[in-house]
Amino acid sequence: KVIGHPLGKRQIKEILQYFVRVRIITDQDEEGFLELRHDAIASRIFERMTALEKELVEIRSFLDNSYNTYQKRKVLLTGSDLEYIALYENKLILSDELKEFIRLSKREVQKSRKRRRTIAIAAAGTLIIILAGFTIWAFYERNRAIDQSEFAEAQKNEALRANEEAERAREQAEADRDRAEASENTAREHQQTAEEESENAIRANRAAEAARQ
């Protein structure tokens, strides 16, 4: 049944009874199980199976063990487990319990992938927002730096103009001072000349008075 060749219960019972009679398998134990009498028989049976049949048996055994684990610890199949059984899933004859187990595992894997995709999209969106914020901030800071640079340049030019005006005012003050000093010297010379002329006039007046006497 596992490898796609189901038999009726009557046929299975007849075959099992035959194997018990020829001492290939043991009769049912207290729990109702039958076992091969020798391990060598199991290996010989496995050797006669085709590669596909071996793979189907291995996958069926894997599913049974995984389902037992699920019943004990509620651990579902992973994405890699589902990929492992995907090629042979349609070739296996599965019980309703195993089908439901696989369905739940697929749904959980899809949910997990959707969560990861949502987280990735949210992370990408957050990163884009952060980068956009940094870009806007950098653009603002660049404009502010340009404004400050222009303001500093204007202040420097203003200072240069003020310095030039102060230099011109200093030169003008020096020129005015020089002119004032020259005017003062001229006035002093004129005063001296006037004083000399006044003294000359007094002397001439005295000489004239003396001559008149």
Side-chain angles (χ1 to χ4, degrees):
K1 183 177 180 180
V2 171
I3 59 177
H5 302 287
L7 297 175
K9 291 184 178 180
R10 181 178 177 182
Q11 290 176 298
I12 294 174
K13 186 176 181 180
E14 291 176 355
I15 292 172
L16 291 177
Q17 288 176 350
Y18 170 77
F19 283 142
V20 169
R21 288 197 302 272
V22 296
R23 302 182 64 80
I24 298 295
I25 60 175
T26 63
D27 204 350
Q28 290 184 346
D29 57 16
E30 295 178 355
E31 297 180 359
F33 290 104
L34 301 99
E35 295 182 358
L36 293 170
R37 285 186 175 273
H38 305 286
D39 293 339
I41 297 176
S43 62
R44 293 290 292 175
I45 294 174
F46 194 74
E47 288 175 1
R48 293 179 62 87
M49 296 174 67
T50 64
L52 177 60
E53 290 173 341
K54 292 177 181 179
E55 290 175 353
L56 290 174
V57 171
E58 290 177 357
I59 292 174
R60 179 54 184 266
S61 176
F62 168 75
L63 284 174
D64 290 337
N65 293 332
S66 299
Y67 183 68
N68 291 332
T69 303
Y70 168 73
Q71 288 180 316
K72 295 176 182 177
R73 299 187 302 166
K74 300 301 178 183
V75 177
L76 294 169
L77 296 172
T78 64
S80 58
D81 295 337
L82 292 173
E83 291 176 0
Y84 171 60
I85 67 173
L87 295 176
Y88 307 98
E89 185 176 350
N90 295 331
K91 297 180 176 64
L92 293 170
I93 298 176
L94 304 173
S95 63
D96 293 338
E97 291 80 5
L98 285 177
K99 289 180 181 179
E100 180 65 14
F101 173 56
I102 294 173
R103 188 187 69 82
L104 291 175
S105 299
K106 288 180 179 179
R107 188 175 67 179
E108 186 61 29
V109 168
Q110 289 175 353
K111 286 182 179 180
S112 177
R113 288 175 179 173
K114 187 176 180 180
R115 284 195 297 268
R116 289 197 297 268
R117 185 165 58 249
T118 302
I119 293 172
I121 293 173
T126 302
L127 181 60
I128 290 172
I129 292 173
I130 292 173
L131 291 177
F134 275 118
T135 302
I136 294 172
W137 174 80
F139 182 74
Y140 170 76
E141 289 295 321
R142 176 178 174 274
N143 290 337
R144 191 173 71 169
I146 292 173
D147 293 339
Q148 290 178 348
S149 177
E150 292 176 352
F151 178 75
E153 185 68 20
Q155 292 284 57
K156 184 185 75 172
N157 294 334
E158 185 67 23
L160 289 174
R161 285 194 296 271
N163 189 34
E164 290 175 357
E165 290 177 358
E167 184 66 21
R168 286 195 296 269
R170 185 183 65 78
E171 292 175 354
Q172 184 66 35
E174 290 180 353
D176 292 342
R177 185 191 64 189
D178 293 340
R179 283 195 296 271
E181 290 178 352
S183 298
E184 184 180 357
N185 292 332
T186 302
R188 189 179 297 113
E189 290 175 355
H190 288 169
Q191 182 182 3
Q192 186 177 356
T193 301
E195 290 176 352
E196 289 177 353
E197 289 179 351
S198 176
E199 291 177 355
N200 290 333
I202 293 171
R203 285 193 296 270
N205 189 25
R206 288 176 179 175
E209 181 63 25
R212 183 184 64 79
Q213 293 178 357

